[in-house]
Amino acid sequence: MEKLKAFIIISIINLICQNLLFAEDLDKYHRASLYSIILKHPEQRFSDEIIEAFKSIPIPDRFNDHNLKHTVLNAPIIKELTKEEIEGAYKDAIWNMLNRNQIGGRLVEKWFNYSPTSQGFDMTLIKKRGLYDASLLDINVALNTVRGKAILEDAGEELLSHTYILVNDIRYADKTTQRNLQGFAMMAGLFASSFIPGASAVAGTLYTSGVQLNDLVVGFKVYVTSYLFRLDWNKDVADHFYSNLWVEPEKPDSNEKYSIFKKNMSSFKLSYLGCTTIYSGKTSLAGVQNESDMFRKVCTRAIDTSISELQKQFDEFKVFSHLISTDPYVSYIGLKEGMTEESKYEVLEMSLDENGKTKYTRKGIIKPIKGMIWDNRYMAEFENGYDSSILGTAFEVVSGGGFYPGMLIREIE
Amino acid sequence: MNRFLSILLSLCAISISAQAQFYNPGDIIEIDGHKAIVFETDDTGTHGKAMYVKAYRGVDDPWCNSGKHSKRLPDLTNREDGQFNTLQVLNYAHKNDALASFPVFTWCEKLGKNWYIPSVNELEAFINFWLGNNIVLEWDDDVENEIEDNNIFYKTINNKLLDAGGSAFINGVYTSTVDKGGKVYVFQFDRKKNSWKFKLKSKTGLGQDCVGRAFVKF
């Protein structure tokens, strides 16, 4: 077993060195796009620190960054509810807040890259994220050719309809919050009670540099409830947008057409998918140099866990990774994505049909090799027991075959 | 004659444009000589609702101090229209020479005919504004995304009320809506839980700590 492990590790290192040369090619697949928001609770302890930590957390690299100008919104304060009324009430308050700020329309505006300079939309971002060819740059060509229309339809299905809004409600877990949230979450049936793995060990240990932290910061824990919404984009919405709301840049009527678009921003709707609540539990001080490191570590891991829990609930929110090698089978995915030894992944071949539309064909199923799961959690490299020799998760085949580097993998039930 | 007509038309245009004021929630305006804070506007920004910055408090049984009259009031279950409810009370009070039995309504009537004690839904609308639940952010500025002032929103509104010479919006504000059991809705905010609710209290059971607020439509 140890010899096998050593062989796999050496192979991985070799392959990683080789694949760094081809990293750009392996990166070519359609990612979902994410707008991540935090709700502000100014009345709560550590509110400022939580917001600062959140603002320093980038969008996970498996998503396109679709953040809008504001990523910090006021947490709604809702009426005290009876048990019968509580379900969905907070979610409705958030949904109303997003609609009031016309978030659907603003996400569409970002997709079509509105520029005050050119005073119009263009297809640059769609082309870049969709990896489409240059013919898509001209919307008039795209709308008037069979291939162009197919690509626009593909862009709609693959990109715009996979635009998500994640609203994160992060609360410091003091006794009052624990009591309130447990009551709230239990009544609403939301309490996932997911603990971040590895958090039970070494709590309270000082980092070797002997950094002293305030006791409250050492024991800093949070509850995170993450609400997942999706931009509604279908054929009807697309037809309406391209026919009636497209703003051609640098035309005499561009300003007027943009005003029409702005008046219609509310017509772009969001759908609510669901939510999850996780509790960070204790987090080790390994790697923590100062208080802001601690806040960032706790919040980053909590949000990563939230995302992986939501991906388990909603297939459409699952992300791809790709096989970087086939001997052994390795991918840059691991504990951060909620992987366990029971996780299974479908291997997909991405291709384009004759009209240029994307299709995915399952070629098989793989699962992680025991003891070879990559710990890619935030600041994992400082944890006791971190195996720096594992630089990607190694997999074994459950079914299928004919896999090659660049194929996509995605978790399945 | 033509010159006279043109001058007259110009004056009218100036008058109309001067009257076409646009308001945003949070603005302090003056109506009937009383300062009020705007909490709701229509799409044009020219019409909406505002709350008088001053409050009516420190009086025992401010809603009604007569058991006899409280039982004879007409239906006041209207949840939407506080002006309707207020008129119902005042019409009854005038007809029965019982204005003194309805202190807060008498106070409200003295502000002007447009002023009224809010219905439960109108008070809820103000509460949502006060809590910051209705904020629409500025998306068009070229300003970098900064963490805005982390002050609690309702404290900002309360400071505006105080700066305008009024009173902060606090617990105990009551409505003109009465439920089917004959009880008045009274606003209660729990700072620890950061949530709020309406409690029901007897029309004749509101204490000195309960607060009357007057609304106006513009």
Side-chain angles (χ1 to χ4, degrees):
Chain A
M1 180 62 189
E2 286 303 313
K3 281 185 183 171
L4 173 63
K5 186 176 172 181
F7 169 73
I8 289 172
I9 288 167
I10 291 166
S11 302
I12 289 172
I13 293 170
N14 278 337
L15 287 160
I16 287 169
C17 292
Q18 288 175 36
N19 281 303
L20 280 172
L21 295 172
F22 305 104
E24 198 182 297
D25 285 342
L26 292 177
D27 214 29
K28 289 192 172 181
Y29 61 92
H30 294 155
R31 288 178 163 83
S33 301
L34 186 65
Y35 171 32
S36 189
I37 294 168
I38 185 171
L39 298 180
K40 184 169 69 171
H41 292 275
E43 76 287 354
Q44 292 203 347
R45 189 180 261 167
F46 294 124
S47 170
D48 286 347
E49 289 82 356
I50 288 171
I51 290 173
E52 282 293 341
F54 176 83
K55 286 192 75 181
S56 68
I57 299 170
I59 296 284
D61 56 15
R62 302 213 185 279
F63 294 93
N64 290 316
D65 180 343
H66 211 78
N67 274 348
L68 299 177
K69 179 182 169 188
H70 295 289
T71 55
V72 181
L73 301 182
N74 277 337
I77 301 174
I78 62 173
K79 220 170 172 180
E80 210 171 288
L81 298 166
T82 63
K83 201 171 171 180
E84 290 72 35
E85 291 168 329
I86 198 168
E87 189 174 338
Y90 201 68
K91 170 265 292 181
D92 285 342
I94 293 171
W95 205 346
N96 287 337
M97 182 172 62
L98 296 176
N99 287 332
R100 201 164 40 247
N101 281 276
Q102 301 176 312
I103 297 299
R106 299 189 193 283
L107 293 171
V108 171
E109 189 180 32
K110 180 159 182 159
W111 266 116
F112 293 98
N113 206 32
Y114 177 76
S115 160
T117 313
S118 68
Q119 293 182 335
F121 293 130
D122 65 46
M123 303 295 279
T124 313
L125 188 63
I126 301 261
K127 176 184 172 291
K128 178 182 166 193
R129 289 186 183 174
L131 312 162
Y132 299 116
D133 61 38
S135 65
L136 192 63
L137 280 177
D138 190 330
I139 187 64
N140 296 308
V141 170
L143 285 170
N144 289 299
T145 61
V146 170
R147 181 177 164 76
K149 281 181 187 167
I151 290 176
L152 284 179
E153 215 173 286
D154 189 69
E157 286 167 15
E158 287 284 297
L159 301 177
L160 282 96
S161 60
H162 285 83
T163 307
Y164 298 95
I165 306 100
L166 190 68
V167 180
N168 299 289
D169 193 7
I170 305 177
R171 303 192 199 205
Y172 170 58
D174 60 10
K175 287 192 180 128
T176 307
T177 310
Q178 280 179 295
R179 204 167 38 242
N180 290 343
L181 270 180
Q182 278 173 350
F184 174 89
M186 278 174 176
M187 278 196 277
L190 298 174
F191 202 70
S193 197
S194 297
F195 285 78
I196 296 179
S200 57
V202 301
T205 302
L206 291 175
Y207 187 53
T208 49
S209 70
V211 172
Q212 295 284 342
L213 297 177
N214 178 297
D215 279 347
L216 281 177
V217 177
V218 167
F220 181 70
K221 301 183 262 294
V222 295
Y223 282 98
V224 180
T225 302
S226 297
Y227 300 83
L228 185 64
F229 298 83
R230 182 196 60 224
L231 174 68
D232 280 348
W233 187 272
N234 53 40
K235 191 173 182 311
D236 290 339
V237 174
D239 287 346
H240 174 59
F241 173 75
Y242 292 125
S243 303
N244 304 317
L245 299 176
W246 176 266
V247 182
E248 194 66 28
E250 291 164 352
K251 294 284 183 198
D253 63 350
S254 294
N255 257 340
E256 186 193 333
K257 290 221 159 170
Y258 183 58
S259 295
I260 295 171
F261 171 78
K262 287 197 83 171
K263 281 180 189 161
N264 283 275
M265 275 178 123
S266 301
S267 65
F268 296 99
K269 304 292 182 196
L270 305 175
S271 284
Y272 172 67
L273 296 182
C275 69
T276 188
T277 297
I278 68 111
Y279 173 54
S280 68
K282 283 182 184 171
T283 300
S284 80
L285 294 174
V288 171
Q289 299 275 358
N290 51 48
E291 288 185 355
S292 61
D293 279 351
M294 187 62 180
F295 295 121
R296 189 174 170 167
K297 185 174 182 181
V298 172
C299 291
T300 302
R301 289 193 176 188
I303 290 176
D304 284 344
T305 303
S306 255
I307 290 175
S308 70
E309 285 297 318
L310 286 166
Q311 286 170 340
K312 287 183 171 71
Q313 287 182 46
F314 303 105
D315 282 347
E316 62 169 283
F317 193 51
K318 286 177 178 163
V319 292
F320 296 120
S321 183
H322 51 255
L323 285 177
I324 59 164
S325 73
T326 52
D327 186 22
Y329 298 105
V330 174
S331 184
Y332 291 140
I333 190 171
L335 288 182
K336 180 181 156 185
E337 286 78 24
M339 184 184 285
T340 68
E341 286 171 2
E342 280 73 46
S343 301
K344 287 204 176 95
Y345 294 80
E346 56 181 347
V347 184
L348 300 164
E349 183 174 55
M350 178 177 154
S351 59
L352 300 177
D353 67 15
E354 61 274 10
N355 287 319
K357 287 188 74 176
T358 312
K359 62 178 187 176
Y360 301 95
T361 311
R362 181 187 279 195
K363 293 297 190 184
I365 295 175
I366 56 177
K367 67 173 192 174
I369 296 173
K370 194 174 174 179
M372 297 298 294
I373 296 177
W374 183 32
D375 188 351
N376 59 341
R377 293 173 299 156
Y378 182 68
M379 292 176 78
E381 62 272 22
F382 297 103
E383 303 287 351
N384 279 350
Y386 177 74
D387 189 344
S388 57
S389 62
I390 299 180
L391 298 172
T393 296
F395 294 85
E396 57 191 2
V397 177
V398 174
S399 66
F403 308 148
Y404 52 83
M407 277 183 136
L408 300 175
I409 68 170
R410 182 172 58 187
E411 190 171 3
I412 54 176
E413 291 291 335
Chain B
M1 181 65 174
N2 282 342
R3 193 167 171 212
F4 172 76
L5 279 172
S6 338
I7 293 168
L8 187 62
L9 281 167
S10 304
L11 286 169
C12 287
I14 291 166
S15 170
I16 287 165
S17 67
Q19 285 166 16
Q21 294 267 351
F22 302 99
Y23 301 105
N24 291 309
D27 287 351
I28 300 290
I29 60 175
E30 193 164 307
I31 296 179
D32 299 335
H34 306 297
K35 284 188 182 171
I37 186 164
V38 176
F39 67 91
E40 190 178 280
T41 60
D42 63 8
D43 288 342
T44 67
T46 56
H47 299 287
K49 291 179 185 171
M51 184 187 79
Y52 184 31
V53 299
K54 293 188 178 178
Y56 184 76
R57 57 186 306 200
V59 172
D60 246 339
D61 301 328
W63 208 103
C64 179
N65 57 29
S66 161
K68 177 182 87 174
H69 287 301
S70 86
K71 286 173 190 161
R72 293 179 184 174
L73 281 167
D75 180 67
L76 294 172
T77 53
N78 192 318
R79 295 181 64 94
E80 299 296 331
D81 191 345
Q83 196 162 32
F84 173 81
N85 290 336
T86 302
L87 277 173
Q88 290 278 79
V89 174
L90 287 171
N91 286 343
Y92 170 88
H94 280 293
K95 195 173 168 185
N96 292 277
D97 195 24
L99 269 179
S101 298
F102 301 96
V104 73
F105 291 93
T106 306
W107 165 78
C108 185
E109 190 182 41
K110 286 178 183 166
L111 295 175
K113 64 180 170 76
N114 296 312
W115 296 85
Y116 59 93
I117 305 301
S119 70
V120 64
N121 286 359
E122 285 169 322
L123 185 58
E124 183 164 345
F126 180 84
I127 291 163
N128 278 317
F129 154 74
W130 179 74
L131 290 169
N133 289 342
N134 290 348
I135 288 175
V136 176
L137 296 169
E138 180 53 67
W139 294 86
D140 291 339
D141 280 348
D142 292 330
V143 178
E144 285 288 320
N145 182 19
E146 296 171 358
I147 297 176
E148 292 181 15
D149 175 15
N150 206 28
N151 281 341
I152 296 173
F153 188 81
Y154 60 77
K155 288 188 177 175
T156 307
I157 298 300
N158 279 347
N159 285 339
K160 272 195 174 182
L161 290 168
L162 292 168
D163 288 344
S167 311
F169 186 82
I170 56 173
N171 268 335
V173 179
Y174 44 83
T175 68
S176 55
T177 305
V178 170
D179 81 336
K180 286 179 182 165
K183 293 198 170 173
V184 175
Y185 295 87
V186 182
F187 167 64
Q188 212 69 39
F189 181 51
D190 188 331
R191 277 181 178 74
K192 279 189 181 168
K193 289 185 192 173
N194 218 36
S195 68
W196 67 275
K197 63 183 177 187
F198 283 120
K199 273 188 164 176
L200 287 167
K201 287 191 172 183
S202 160
K203 292 194 281 298
T204 53
L206 301 181
Q208 287 190 19
D209 57 327
C210 288
V211 184
R213 309 246 26 166
F215 281 29
V216 68
K217 294 175 192 171
F218 61 90

